[in-house]
Amino acid sequence: MTATDPALTTLSQSWCALSLLHGTIETHIERALESGHGLSVREFSLLDVLSRQHSGPGGHLQMKQVAEAVVLSQSATTRLVTRLEDRGLLRRYLCETDRRGIYTDVTEAGLTLLAEARPTNAAALREAFDEAAQNPVLAPLVRTVEELKLPT
């Protein structure tokens, strides 16, 4: 079935188109990040999310929040953290106020790699959107996403 299959409801067609757009973009970014920096999209996303943490109240994310931010299960997020920790890009340590809590910080090597990868991610995202905009099924979604004004 395709996004334009008449057997699908309008909602189903829209969902298929959105899924196609997401998959197309993610694949494009994945190739660029992997070839340019040895990072997967998930690894880049995790480094990016964790790099935005800060010390002090509310500055660190619990593993559940990190998992939600990178759209993975908690166990998959833990495996991802372990892989990046093994590569020296992250470090884990115990929370000073709650010894049951474990924080994860991006190391200097991780921050350097992330800084190098951000322009690649941005360029690949732009390229993927430009290519998707040429597809008549995806063009309305591309326009909608580009016009979104999200709170900062």
Side-chain angles (χ1 to χ4, degrees), residues 32-54:
L33 287 173
E34 187 63 49
S35 68
H37 308 283
L39 286 173
S40 70
V41 169
R42 299 285 190 223
E43 290 168 338
F44 175 86
S45 296
L46 180 64
L47 288 172
D48 187 53
V49 165
L50 293 175
S51 74
R52 297 173 196 280
Q53 297 182 120
H54 60 83

Side-chain angles (χ1 to χ4, degrees), residues 42-102:
R42 299 285 190 223
E43 290 168 338
F44 175 86
S45 296
L46 180 64
L47 288 172
D48 187 53
V49 165
L50 293 175
S51 74
R52 297 173 196 280
Q53 297 182 120
H54 60 83
S55 296
H60 286 88
L61 299 174
Q62 297 172 349
M63 201 54 102
K64 179 182 177 196
Q65 294 169 303
V66 173
E68 289 171 0
V70 295
V71 193
L72 289 173
S73 67
Q74 283 187 265
S75 61
T77 301
T78 299
R79 288 191 301 275
L80 184 58
V81 165
T82 299
R83 263 198 327 268
L84 292 176
E85 186 178 36
D86 289 347
R87 289 174 58 188
L89 303 174
L90 298 177
R91 70 178 184 89
R92 286 186 252 203
Y93 61 95
L94 291 175
C95 172
E96 291 178 13
T97 58
D98 180 358
R99 303 301 277 174
R100 296 169 297 170
I102 299 175

Side-chain angles (χ1 to χ4, degrees), residues 96-119:
E96 291 178 13
T97 58
D98 180 358
R99 303 301 277 174
R100 296 169 297 170
I102 299 175
Y103 290 146
T104 305
D105 277 340
V106 182
T107 63
E108 286 303 316
L111 290 172
T112 299
L113 182 58
L114 181 61
E116 293 168 357
R118 278 188 171 130

